[in-house]
Amino acid sequence: MSDAPVFSGFIEEFGLWTHEQQEAAKKIAAMAENGELKTFRVSVPDAQSKLRSKTLLPGAFKSALRDGVEFTSAYFSFDSAEGVAFNPFSKEGGLGMDEMHGFSNAILVPDPLTFRVLPWAPTVGWVLCDIYLRDGRPVPFDGRYQLKSAISRLKNLGFKLVTGLEVEFYVTRVTDQNLGEQNMGGLGVPPAPPSVEALWRGFSYMSEDQQDKISEITDTLAENCLALGLPLRTMEDEMGPGQLEFTFDVQDPLEAADSMVLFRSMVKQTMARMGLHATFMAKPIFSSFVASGWHLHQSLSAPGVPNAFVAAPNSEEVLSPTGLSYVAGLLEHAVEASVFTNPTINGYRRRKPNSLAPDRSTWGYDNRAAMVRVQGRPRHMSGHIENRIGEPTANPYLYIASQILSGCDGLERKLHPGPMESNPYEATHRPKLPTNLMEATEALDKSEFFRSAMGDGFINWLVTMKKSEINRFLAAEPNWEQKPDVVTQWEHHEYFTRY
């Protein structure tokens, strides 16, 4: 007789859950048994952090809590518009891995700690998944895996990241879904987005009267955030017509990234049910719409030290040596991290002087022109930094991972950021950030730092994905440089609905 161990399923065989996850799974399984929920969505973020999912019936979901779910690896070959960036039938599937040849299946493993009941669909359970190869290894292209690896590197230095989300987006009213044959694209070509109109006039930044006019929308979104357990703090009417900003309380980095993908998905789904269209596209095509950003608030904690960024009482610095080195790492690697923080052609519409978005790798105290803005009173427990570089479409796992890895490098090398800039837009001694996705992709491709930190295979995959997106843009808009500030029809088709 064989002495080989007998396992109850894939998850147990490869030890993929902690004790906490095992206990949470038992409670979820009970919900699948008692008929409380009719269906379960198992979801995984793709390269763009858009959620791909399967809907399971209760019996299949219980099985998924033992063996995971067979799921096509095809989405690792899709760029931002379902364009096939890798030939799956070439040697090694074009991804450098025999295991992913021919659009083969991988295994989705639910993370029971992310389980929710969707408040707008109360008979539907929802859970985020990690994705594994059949031999129990994580798929290296999975953003959640990359973030977990970065968190481990920071933990080895004795720190944890504390991060808060601040994200802007637009809500519009749909006037025509544009679903006629003349508006439908072919495979890999985005169909025409819906025709929309502004929900309100805009240009009444943080007006209380305006906040009251839009309360039906903000109240709906707030109720869903709270029902999902998302740590919503504030909501406000931003400058553009239909532009909103939501901020969230601090979380650990994996929770924050999970919250971001769930928040974006919730906003789009609940707004669609109200006949509206929400978009996280940075700069929609409409001339009156100002650009949206995603600012990432950060500090570090350590055992017995809730905020390692706080300077000593007698210090003249605004941050502790730990905080200064972390900031220096962000500044050092900002150029090569641009694909992580600003992954679309459209996101670079924000990067111009005097726009409240950074155009250089700078830092300053409470200065909204700087890339890294130090906030809170010096030597006060509220002290932290806000990186203002990101766009709302960014993959949160890769955005946050890039921050952690850059900060780790600053800590490990004990870097110093140099003096703060009083006028960041005139800081010609600081590196200029990429002005388009082409420059950003080239910088990442040449990055020895991120290749070492994240692996050549991962960087090659992401660069190829971005080049596919870029090549389609250049083919459609060969003269785009003649009007570099004009949002193109290609961007409108590519991003307005997708994000």
Side-chain angles (χ1 to χ4, degrees), residues 89-210:
F89 308 113
S90 66
K91 179 176 169 52
E92 299 177 334
L95 295 169
M97 298 181 66
D98 288 324
E99 301 92 334
M100 303 184 75
H101 178 72
F103 281 165
S104 60
N105 277 359
I107 309 296
L108 292 189
V109 173
D111 180 349
L113 300 180
T114 68
F115 182 81
R116 306 285 200 282
V117 176
L118 299 182
W120 63 93
T123 63
V124 179
W126 177 92
V127 68
L128 267 179
C129 298
D130 297 295
I131 188 160
Y132 292 87
L133 301 171
R134 294 189 183 280
D135 61 5
R137 287 179 297 148
V139 174
F141 314 120
D142 180 27
R144 258 184 137 234
Y145 165 72
Q146 289 290 342
L147 177 54
K148 289 177 183 179
S149 298
I151 292 169
S152 294
R153 178 168 172 174
L154 183 61
K155 183 178 179 182
N156 289 337
L157 297 176
F159 297 105
K160 292 182 178 180
L161 180 71
V162 179
T163 186
L165 311 176
E166 177 185 337
V167 60
E168 298 167 344
F169 59 99
Y170 276 93
V171 180
T172 60
R173 179 179 289 107
V174 176
T175 58
D176 189 338
Q177 287 287 357
N178 291 331
L179 296 178
E181 178 63 26
Q182 70 277 12
N183 293 316
M184 303 301 288
L187 180 63
V189 179
S195 298
V196 301
E197 63 183 13
L199 271 177
W200 52 88
R201 296 184 185 280
F203 312 111
S204 52
Y205 178 58
M206 297 181 73
S207 157
E208 183 176 348
D209 290 344
Q210 184 64 25

Side-chain angles (χ1 to χ4, degrees), residues 299-369:
S299 63
L300 297 180
S301 66
V305 183
N307 189 346
F309 278 12
V310 178
N314 60 349
S315 174
E316 296 183 1
E317 299 276 15
V318 298
L319 294 174
S320 69
T322 294
L324 292 171
S325 290
Y326 187 90
V327 167
L330 299 188
L331 300 180
E332 177 96 351
H333 299 294
V335 170
E336 57 198 318
S338 283
V339 168
F340 302 126
T341 59
N342 298 76
T344 70
I345 297 284
N346 181 258
Y348 293 84
R349 304 298 182 187
R350 296 178 63 241
R351 288 192 176 174
K352 50 188 177 182
N354 305 313
S355 64
L356 294 176
D359 70 340
R360 300 176 188 276
S361 182
T362 57
W363 76 301
Y365 178 67
D366 202 16
N367 190 329
R368 284 182 167 84

Side-chain angles (χ1 to χ4, degrees), residues 334-411:
V335 170
E336 57 198 318
S338 283
V339 168
F340 302 126
T341 59
N342 298 76
T344 70
I345 297 284
N346 181 258
Y348 293 84
R349 304 298 182 187
R350 296 178 63 241
R351 288 192 176 174
K352 50 188 177 182
N354 305 313
S355 64
L356 294 176
D359 70 340
R360 300 176 188 276
S361 182
T362 57
W363 76 301
Y365 178 67
D366 202 16
N367 190 329
R368 284 182 167 84
M371 185 189 88
V372 175
R373 174 190 177 207
V374 181
Q375 288 192 264
R377 298 201 306 274
R379 295 167 294 284
H380 190 273
M381 288 303 294
S382 65
H384 68 281
I385 63 169
E386 170 197 27
N387 196 338
R388 299 173 58 80
I389 197 171
E391 65 169 292
T393 70
N395 182 318
Y397 304 99
L398 301 183
Y399 185 176
I400 297 173
S402 74
Q403 303 295 281
I404 294 174
L405 293 171
S406 299
C408 282
D409 190 51
L411 294 169

Side-chain angles (χ1 to χ4, degrees), residues 212-460:
D212 186 70
K213 290 178 183 177
I214 64 177
S215 61
E216 179 184 5
I217 289 171
T218 53
D219 288 352
T220 297
L221 294 175
E223 289 167 3
N224 281 288
C225 281
L226 297 176
L228 290 169
L230 303 180
L232 181 65
R233 291 182 68 252
T234 66
M235 306 176 292
E236 62 191 51
D237 176 47
E238 267 289 337
M239 181 63 72
Q243 189 182 36
L244 298 172
E245 178 183 275
F246 278 43
T247 71
F248 296 84
D249 210 343
V250 294
Q251 296 178 282
D252 76 37
L254 186 61
E255 288 178 337
D258 290 344
S259 292
M260 185 64 171
V261 295
L262 180 55
F263 172 69
R264 289 189 304 210
S265 186
M266 177 275 288
V267 170
K268 291 188 73 70
Q269 291 180 47
T270 54
M271 293 298 93
R273 286 172 177 243
M274 296 173 66
L276 307 174
H277 176 73
T279 186
F280 290 83
M281 178 182 179
K283 180 69 171 72
I285 198 170
F286 314 107
S287 59
S288 61
F289 282 28
V290 299
S292 296
W294 172 15
H295 306 155
L296 194 64
H297 296 256
Q298 304 170 60
S299 63
L300 297 180
S301 66
V305 183
N307 189 346
F309 278 12
V310 178
N314 60 349
S315 174
E316 296 183 1
E317 299 276 15
V318 298
L319 294 174
S320 69
T322 294
L324 292 171
S325 290
Y326 187 90
V327 167
L330 299 188
L331 300 180
E332 177 96 351
H333 299 294
V335 170
E336 57 198 318
S338 283
V339 168
F340 302 126
T341 59
N342 298 76
T344 70
I345 297 284
N346 181 258
Y348 293 84
R349 304 298 182 187
R350 296 178 63 241
R351 288 192 176 174
K352 50 188 177 182
N354 305 313
S355 64
L356 294 176
D359 70 340
R360 300 176 188 276
S361 182
T362 57
W363 76 301
Y365 178 67
D366 202 16
N367 190 329
R368 284 182 167 84
M371 185 189 88
V372 175
R373 174 190 177 207
V374 181
Q375 288 192 264
R377 298 201 306 274
R379 295 167 294 284
H380 190 273
M381 288 303 294
S382 65
H384 68 281
I385 63 169
E386 170 197 27
N387 196 338
R388 299 173 58 80
I389 197 171
E391 65 169 292
T393 70
N395 182 318
Y397 304 99
L398 301 183
Y399 185 176
I400 297 173
S402 74
Q403 303 295 281
I404 294 174
L405 293 171
S406 299
C408 282
D409 190 51
L411 294 169
E412 290 161 354
R413 294 164 55 200
K414 294 182 170 53
L415 299 179
H416 191 281
M420 291 184 289
E421 278 74 43
S422 58
N423 190 339
Y425 292 123
E426 295 180 5
T428 55
H429 62 289
R430 293 287 191 179
K432 193 171 183 181
L433 297 171
T435 59
N436 55 62
L437 185 59
M438 292 67 94
E439 293 177 9
T441 300
E442 182 178 2
L444 179 60
D445 196 14
K446 294 178 178 178
S447 172
E448 294 181 5
F449 172 73
F450 281 115
R451 285 185 174 278
S452 174
M454 306 177 89
D456 282 327
F458 174 80
I459 297 299
N460 290 340

